[in-house]
Amino acid sequence: MRILWWLIIVAVALGAFQTKAGEFPAVVEHALGQTVVPAEPERIVAMTNRDAETLLALGVVPVGIQSQLGFEGGVGPWAEPLLRDARPEVWLGMEINYEAVVAIAAFHPLRAGSAVATDR
């Protein structure tokens, strides 16, 4: 299941949607076939600071952020104003904290990096 979400996120980051922005269900083409995203994602977790800043630049405030750089607010001071009044759940460290993602009922983890292993 984790691989599926990573593939969706990478495909979205690469613009592999076959539908127009904002249309759902959306079909995402990727190396392992295609995935249907049935509805607009609502609760998104950023798996790195970079992912959080990408989401914030797009106007999406994540409900959780894994801060690999130790920022208590989840993002660097340059991106804090983009959080507005939101206070996402933040956890620190380099390892993905799957329990934290599940605990905040996030349905769409985002990892936009290109170094995603397909064997995990």
Side-chain angles (χ1 to χ4, degrees):
M1 185 68 171
R2 287 182 278 183
I3 295 171
L4 176 62
W5 284 116
W6 299 135
L7 291 173
I8 291 171
I9 299 310
V10 170
V12 169
L14 296 175
F17 273 116
Q18 289 183 350
T19 56
K20 295 179 184 175
E23 277 187 13
F24 291 93
V27 178
V28 181
E29 295 287 341
H30 49 76
L32 300 177
Q34 63 176 225
T35 301
V36 176
V37 181
E40 184 174 358
E42 294 178 12
R43 296 182 57 80
I44 301 173
V45 168
M47 303 308 281
T48 68
N49 301 85
R50 176 187 61 224
D51 298 332
E53 292 172 13
T54 299
L55 286 168
L56 290 168
L58 295 170
V60 176
V61 178
V63 296
I65 301 171
Q66 178 174 345
S67 181
Q68 296 175 326
L69 301 177
F71 296 122
E72 290 185 21
V75 295
W78 53 88
E80 285 177 351
L82 298 173
L83 287 171
R84 298 182 290 273
D85 293 332
R87 296 290 170 250
E89 197 71 32
V90 176
W91 60 97
L92 308 175
M94 297 300 289
E95 295 295 319
I96 296 172
N97 187 338
Y98 295 106
E99 291 81 12
V101 173
V102 170
I104 60 174
F107 298 108
H108 304 283
L110 172 72
R111 183 159 181 150
S114 61
V116 177
T118 59
D119 62 343
R120 297 183 203 168

